[in-house]
Amino acid sequence: MTRKIGVIGMGHVGSTAAHYIVANGFADDLVLIDINEDKVKADAIDFEDAMSNLPVHTNITVNDYSALQDADVIISALGNIKLQDNPNDDRFAELPFTSKAVKSVAQKIKDSGFNGIIVAITNPVDVITSIYQQITGLPKKHVIGTGTLLDSSRMKRAVADELNLDPRSVTGFNLGEHGNSQFTAWSTVRVLSHPITEIAKERGLDLDALDKAAREGGFNVFHGKKYTNYGVATAAVRLANTVMSDAHTELAVSNYREELGTYLSYPAVVGRDGIIEQVQLQLTDDEKKKLQISAYYIKTKFKESMEN
């Protein structure tokens, strides 16, 4: 049984994800798609030039949607990063471009006969994940966004830096939109198995400042180099590998929550069949309110994008 991944959009993020896949041998077959024919062909040649120095081999196909029919996972990384350079640090600035592009790409994916799992990185990711599901007609559990998988990692880094720890010593989640209405659910966060709320009292930690650091972490990276790539590409490939290995891992990803009527980030168990099980957290009343606000914002933007 071969492992096959498609990457659509070979900009900073897509090419980083593809390199991560090739360098580590995560797929036997890799399909690369981009509207810039010269760029995607050059990337394919560059990867093939690297293979004699790698312990693994990957078969690469370029700009062939029909090759996606039997793919296990498609990673959507298309976008226009220049639109992110706005004074409000608003990921929705990309929506007029990405909603139109994704509608076209989603139809081509549907026409290819693809029946695997879509992993969306494209911003604004919760709305874009909704569009992919709507147009492809795939089951909701088979269309997943990276969502706050990255933001949760940024939170762990911020907390770990404050406490001089490895971020893997921190557990917990950022929830809601992968954007400005997201929040750290401090009731879920543990450091060395201790609730962070207890540690905050002991150490005098400013949780509001740490929440802000997690929420704005991507923009700090963006303003330094005018794009982000390593963190989100790693999150996307981790999600793809979780699907292909049927790992049944709990991850904070954008998945459809029936009770909220939208895609947003909330922990779920992920495996080969996509969203295997949805986790139910014991959130505080304040966290529940923030989640509702985030859900309303995403639903409003999704409705607007489908009407245009």
Side-chain angles (χ1 to χ4, degrees):
M1 180 178 176
T2 60
R3 302 159 300 161
K4 191 172 191 178
I5 300 177
V7 177
I8 301 178
M10 287 295 289
H12 295 296
V13 177
S15 58
T16 301
H19 178 255
Y20 189 25
I21 291 165
V22 169
N24 289 279
F26 291 145
D28 302 299
D29 296 286
L30 182 62
V31 181
L32 306 178
I33 294 177
D34 195 278
I35 57 174
N36 187 336
E37 189 87 17
D38 290 339
K39 168 66 163 62
V40 69
K41 285 182 177 178
D43 277 329
I45 293 170
D46 212 0
F47 290 144
E48 288 168 351
D49 286 344
M51 285 184 197
S52 65
N53 289 317
L54 293 173
V56 288
H57 179 82
T58 306
N59 301 304
I60 297 178
T61 303
V62 172
N63 275 3
D64 182 359
Y65 274 92
S66 68
L68 297 174
Q69 180 180 11
D70 59 348
D72 299 291
V73 177
I74 292 174
I75 297 174
S76 167
L78 61 90
N80 185 346
I81 194 62
K82 293 180 180 178
L83 297 176
Q84 291 286 353
D85 198 2
N86 64 83
N88 297 320
D89 287 337
D90 184 7
R91 291 181 176 90
F92 278 94
E94 276 197 86
L95 185 57
F97 173 86
T98 54
S99 61
K100 182 178 179 180
V102 164
K103 288 172 185 176
S104 174
V105 166
Q107 186 60 52
K108 292 176 182 177
I109 291 173
K110 181 178 181 180
D111 293 344
S112 76
F114 173 74
N115 195 35
I117 308 297
I118 292 178
V119 170
I121 305 173
T122 299
N123 275 323
V125 71
D126 305 289
V127 172
I128 292 302
T129 305
S130 303
I131 294 174
Y132 267 121
Q133 192 281 322
Q134 182 94 355
I135 294 178
T136 63
L138 290 168
K140 290 184 174 71
K141 66 179 181 177
H142 288 176
V143 186
I144 311 170
T146 49
T148 61
L149 183 58
L150 174 56
D151 303 295
S152 297
S153 182
R154 287 170 175 153
M155 175 272 292
K156 294 170 186 176
R157 173 187 54 77
V159 171
D161 284 351
E162 191 72 16
L163 298 173
N164 194 29
L165 291 169
D166 185 302
R168 290 171 295 184
S169 297
V170 183
T171 61
F173 308 107
N174 275 40
L175 305 179
E177 176 207 357
H178 174 58
N180 294 334
S181 70
Q182 71 170 268
F183 62 97
T184 303
W186 293 117
S187 65
T188 70
V189 179
R190 302 285 185 274
V191 180
L192 301 176
S193 299
H194 297 287
I196 195 170
T197 49
E198 294 179 4
I199 295 172
K201 291 178 182 178
E202 294 173 2
R203 303 282 190 92
L205 298 182
D206 186 341
L207 296 185
D208 289 336
L210 291 172
D211 175 70
K212 183 180 180 182
R215 187 172 59 255
E216 297 181 355
F219 299 119
N220 292 334
V221 173
F222 177 84
H223 292 309
K225 60 182 186 179
K226 296 304 179 183
Y227 61 92
T228 63
N229 58 325
Y230 301 124
V232 68
T234 302
V237 175
R238 181 190 182 192
L239 183 49
N241 284 337
T242 300
V243 169
M244 292 192 300
S245 62
D246 198 25
H248 289 221
T249 303
E250 181 188 40
L251 300 172
V253 294
S254 187
N255 61 109
Y256 191 83
R257 300 290 304 197
E258 194 70 44
E259 74 277 20
L260 294 167
T262 189
Y263 275 91
L264 51 62
S265 282
Y266 200 102
V269 178
V270 179
R272 188 171 294 125
D273 199 30
I275 301 299
I276 305 298
E277 179 183 349
Q278 293 185 311
V279 176
Q280 298 295 333
L281 299 173
Q282 298 299 313
L283 300 177
T284 67
D285 288 342
D286 183 58
E287 289 167 348
K288 291 176 183 177
K289 183 178 180 181
K290 289 178 179 177
L291 194 66
Q292 291 281 357
I293 291 170
S294 198
Y296 175 79
Y297 190 58
I298 295 165
K299 284 189 287 188
T300 300
K301 291 294 185 179
F302 170 63
K303 183 179 179 180
E304 291 174 359
S305 69
M306 295 305 291
E307 291 173 350
N308 294 330

